[in-house]
Structures are given as C-alpha cells and as structure tokens.
C-alpha cells in the first residue's frame, strides 16, 4: 500500500519523462525496464502506470501506438512465477485503459542484480525503479563498532556512517554506469529511493523505523532470548540518500542530465486518513509491522533463524503503535528523473 501510494505520487514525474522521451524520439517499438520489481501486488501496478502513461502521452501527441516490451527485473531468488500468474489480470487491466492496444505490450522476466549489466548495449528507452535502490549490494564492511544498532542510528560512531555512505557511492555509481550502457541516447530514467531531506544520514526521518526494530531485538537480548553477539553482528544493507547525495553521484558519473529531483512524504501507515471498512487497517502499528516484516523477515531469518520472528514482530508492532500515537511518522521519498546524454 505504501509503495502504491509512492508510485501514484510520482506519476506526474513519469508522465513528464515520457513526454520528454517522445519529443526526442518516437520509435516503432519501446523497451522499458522496471528494476527491483519484487513480486507483490505492486509489481504490475508500477508497470501498468508506466504503460498507460505512455499510451496517454502518445495519444496527446497524435502518434501511433508502438509495440512495448516490458522487462521486469529482480534478484534470481525473486518469485517470478507469482508475477507471471498475475499477467492475465494485468492484460485485462491494460485492456480497460488501452483497448486493443493492450495486445502490443509484451512482458519478460530478467533475473539478476541491477548493480551489474542486465541488458544489451543501447537497447532500452526507459528505466523505472521504485523503492529498490535504497538496498545496497551488501552490508558495508567495518561496522563492528555499531553495537546495539542494526542500521545507522543517532548512537552510531562516525566510522559507521562513513562506511554506509561509501557503500552507497560505490553501488549507485555502478548502477548509473550500467544503465548508461544499456539506455539509448535520449533515453529516460525515473528512480524513487526511500530517502531523507536532512543531510544527516543518522537523522530520525530515515533511521527511526529501524531504531524501533532494534529496541525490540535489544529487549529480547536483555531477556536472554537472543545472544548479544548475534545482535551486534546484524546490520541492515540499506542507505537512504538525501537529494544532494543523489545529485552528487549523478554529476560525478556524468552520463545523465537531471531533469527533476523531488522529495515527497508518505505516512508510515498507508491507510492514514483513508476510509477503510476493515478494523485491522485502523491499527497503524499492525500495518507498519506487517510492511516491515515483508522487508526485514528474510534478513532476520538468515541471521537469527526463524524461531524469533513471531516474538520480534509482536513486540515491534506494540512499540511502533505507541510511537505513532505520539509522533509524526513519515517515510521520505527522493525521486530523480534523468535523460541519457547524447
């Protein structure tokens, strides 16, 4: 639900990027890549938004409908089978908007890390990624002093913040280099990160949600349910950049022109302020814990085993619910729209 809101928020930026793409070049067939697509209900929602926006823009410009090739990318362990099973529904949804034009859209799965090459040179027209690029290729080296924390936190030493930032720089510059090879001249890119406004990488706006999970884990350490050394060696492979940090890496790499760089917010509880008949959805702590569980469970299981999971998230739900009643809690999104230089 949070991701769906974020994709809807960035729709005007996507429309702008596609209009720009069509003004520069109108090919008979278009190749789009959605990177870090995952396998939940939002996977095909993101593609639907991009494809229907393309159709809307081409109608406005009086152009013929091109054939559209969509590449869905994620790591090889992603559940591509679930995505493929939902393709008939996707085609129906597309048909509602595009009519017969829906038959000109072809979907392919591409397993692999986007921190490496995925496509042939100069083969893509448009690259989209939402809520994926904050994930690093690995946990940074040199986090031994980050005891009691599972991510950057207000109590993390400067060396930890530096290790995280340098890992982000390496990864994002590699991402840009690979996409610059794969995109045609004038090709467009819209990337949305979970990020922050502040220049402080340990600021509450990006680290608080993980600090609260660390509270639940530390409580379990103090009760002897988790070994302290296990806790101290667990860190989340994520970095939530500021707009200035994104801009700096793009300019350093040099292959792209930034058209728009914007920041938006979405409440931790995606149902905040919305009518929803189900009582469960009114429970902010429940919704946030469910969202974070989907993200963090595989990492926690591989480090601690699955025996602690129910207890961790039961505690986390209560901690989050308590904080949400007392504080403003929002995710910050950084969206950048770019064109590949000629």
């Amino acid at each position: 639900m949070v991701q769906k809101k974020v994709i809807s928020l960035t729709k005007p930026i996507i429309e702008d990027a596609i209009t720009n793409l069509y003004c520069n070049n109108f090919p008979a067939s278009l190749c789009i890549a959605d990177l870090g697509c995952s396998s939940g209900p939002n996977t095909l929602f993101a593609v639907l938004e991009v494809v229907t926006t393309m159709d809307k823009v081409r109608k406005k410009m009086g152009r013929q409908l091109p054939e559209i090739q969509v590449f869905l990318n994620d790591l090889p362990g992603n559940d591509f089978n679930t995505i493929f099973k939902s393709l008939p529904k996707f085609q129906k949804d597309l048909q509602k908007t595009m009519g017969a034009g829906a038959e000109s859209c072809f979907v392919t799965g591409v397993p692999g890390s986007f921190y490496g090459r995925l496509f042939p040179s100069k083969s893509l027209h448009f690259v989209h990624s939402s809520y994926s690029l904050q994930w690093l290729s690995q946990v940074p080296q040199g986090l031994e002093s980050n005891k009691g924390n599972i991510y950057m936190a207000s109590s993390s030493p400067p060396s930890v913040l530096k290790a995280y930032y340098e890992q982000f720089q390496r990864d994002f510059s590699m991402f840009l280099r690979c996409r610059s090879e794969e995109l045609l001249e004038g090709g467009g890119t819209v990337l949305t990160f979970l990020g922050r406004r502040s220049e402080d990488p340990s600021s509450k706006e990006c680290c608080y949600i993980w600090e609260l999970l660390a509270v639940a884990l530390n409580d379990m350490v103090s009760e002897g349910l988790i070994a302290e050394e296990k806790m101290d060696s667990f860190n989340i492979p994520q970095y939530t950049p500021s707009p200035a940090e994104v801009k700096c890496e793009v300019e350093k790499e040099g292959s792209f022109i930034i058209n728009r760089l914007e920041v938006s917010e979405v409440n931790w509880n995606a149902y905040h302020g919305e009518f929803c008949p189900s009582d469960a959805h009114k429970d902010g702590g429940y919704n946030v814990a469910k969202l974070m569980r989907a993200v963090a469970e595989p990492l926690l299981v591989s480090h601690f085993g699955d025996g602690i999971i129910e207890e961790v998230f039961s505690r986390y739900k209560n901690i989050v619910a308590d904080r949400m009643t007392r504080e403003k809690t929002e995710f910050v999104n950084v969206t950048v729209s770019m064109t590949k230089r000629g």
Side-chain angles (χ1 to χ4, degrees):
M1 185 71 180
V2 166
Q3 199 177 0
K4 199 168 185 178
K5 276 197 166 178
V6 171
I7 292 163
S8 299
L9 275 176
T10 56
K11 200 172 175 181
I13 301 172
I14 292 169
E15 193 168 329
D16 198 30
I18 289 166
T19 304
N20 192 25
L21 176 70
Y22 276 177
C23 289
N24 290 335
N25 178 10
F26 196 86
S29 64
L30 272 169
C31 291
I32 304 165
D34 187 47
L35 306 182
C37 65
S38 191
S39 59
N42 297 320
T43 294
L44 292 167
F45 176 73
V47 172
L48 188 69
E49 290 290 282
V50 173
V51 173
T52 52
T53 302
M54 286 195 160
D55 190 49
K56 183 177 155 188
V57 171
R58 70 99 194 162
K59 278 176 183 158
K60 212 187 280 182
M61 296 175 82
R63 306 278 195 167
Q64 286 296 306
L65 178 71
E67 288 191 321
I68 298 172
Q69 174 73 62
V70 175
F71 296 107
L72 296 175
N73 154 261
D74 213 311
L75 293 169
N78 188 51
D79 186 359
F80 285 98
N81 284 340
T82 295
I83 300 173
F84 297 147
K85 281 175 190 163
S86 58
L87 281 174
K89 184 187 179 303
F90 168 73
Q91 286 291 347
K92 269 188 191 157
D93 291 343
L94 210 53
Q95 221 154 7
K96 279 181 201 162
T97 316
M98 291 173 64
E103 291 159 20
S104 302
C105 181
F106 307 96
V107 179
T108 306
V110 180
S113 168
F114 51 51
Y115 293 125
R117 286 288 301 276
L118 292 163
F119 306 99
S121 295
K122 297 184 169 58
S123 62
L124 299 178
H125 296 93
F126 188 76
V127 170
H128 174 262
S129 182
S130 181
Y131 265 33
S132 296
L133 272 162
Q134 68 270 9
W135 291 106
L136 299 169
S137 64
Q138 61 178 60
V139 172
Q141 301 290 308
L143 302 184
E144 293 76 18
S145 57
N146 202 27
K147 295 190 189 310
N149 299 315
I150 61 171
Y151 183 51
M152 295 180 292
S154 46
S155 60
S156 296
S159 63
V160 167
L161 308 185
K162 184 171 182 277
Y164 267 104
Y165 180 49
E166 286 174 354
Q167 186 66 49
F168 162 74
Q169 288 179 299
R170 279 192 296 276
D171 284 347
F172 190 41
S173 64
M174 173 60 80
F175 175 91
L176 293 168
R177 202 154 55 243
C178 293
R179 302 301 78 82
S180 76
E181 296 276 329
E182 296 163 351
L183 276 157
L184 288 140
E185 258 177 50
T189 310
V190 175
L191 312 172
T192 298
F193 301 76
L194 189 59
R196 64 180 199 275
R197 287 184 183 276
S198 165
E199 285 313 309
D200 172 10
S202 65
S203 79
K204 199 172 172 180
E205 64 184 352
C206 56
C207 300
Y208 196 41
I209 199 145
W210 292 115
E211 285 187 36
L212 299 185
L213 184 56
V215 169
L217 289 165
N218 279 317
D219 285 349
M220 290 175 73
V221 169
S222 66
E223 291 170 34
L225 300 171
I226 292 174
E228 193 169 352
E229 57 273 19
K230 269 285 191 195
M231 173 66 188
D232 288 342
S233 59
F234 179 67
N235 289 283
I236 299 288
Q238 192 184 68
Y239 188 82
T240 39
S242 69
E245 287 171 345
V246 171
K247 185 175 184 227
C248 177
E249 292 311 309
V250 172
E251 288 177 348
K252 220 187 318 176
E253 197 278 329
S255 302
F256 294 91
I257 297 159
I258 294 177
N259 303 316
R260 292 174 73 167
L261 180 58
E262 299 187 8
V263 180
S264 57
E265 287 98 12
V266 58
N267 196 280
W268 277 10
N269 180 11
Y271 297 95
H272 176 74
E274 292 194 4
F275 170 74
C276 191
S278 163
D279 280 345
H281 292 155
K282 292 174 191 166
D283 182 348
Y286 167 84
N287 292 320
V288 177
K290 194 173 158 198
L291 168 76
M292 293 301 287
R293 182 168 179 166
V295 170
E297 185 168 356
L299 299 169
L300 289 162
V301 168
S302 69
H303 190 81
F304 297 101
D306 56 11
I308 66 158
I309 298 300
E310 294 305 325
E311 182 63 22
V312 168
F313 284 101
S314 168
R315 291 172 184 238
Y316 183 57
K317 176 181 81 107
N318 296 333
I319 293 164
V320 168
D322 173 58
R323 302 300 166 96
M324 286 174 78
T325 58
R326 295 187 276 142
E327 302 173 49
K328 187 182 178 190
T329 50
E330 289 179 321
F331 293 115
V332 176
N333 317 303
V334 175
T335 302
V336 62
S337 173
M338 305 180 288
T339 303
K340 163 91 183 287
R341 288 184 189 275

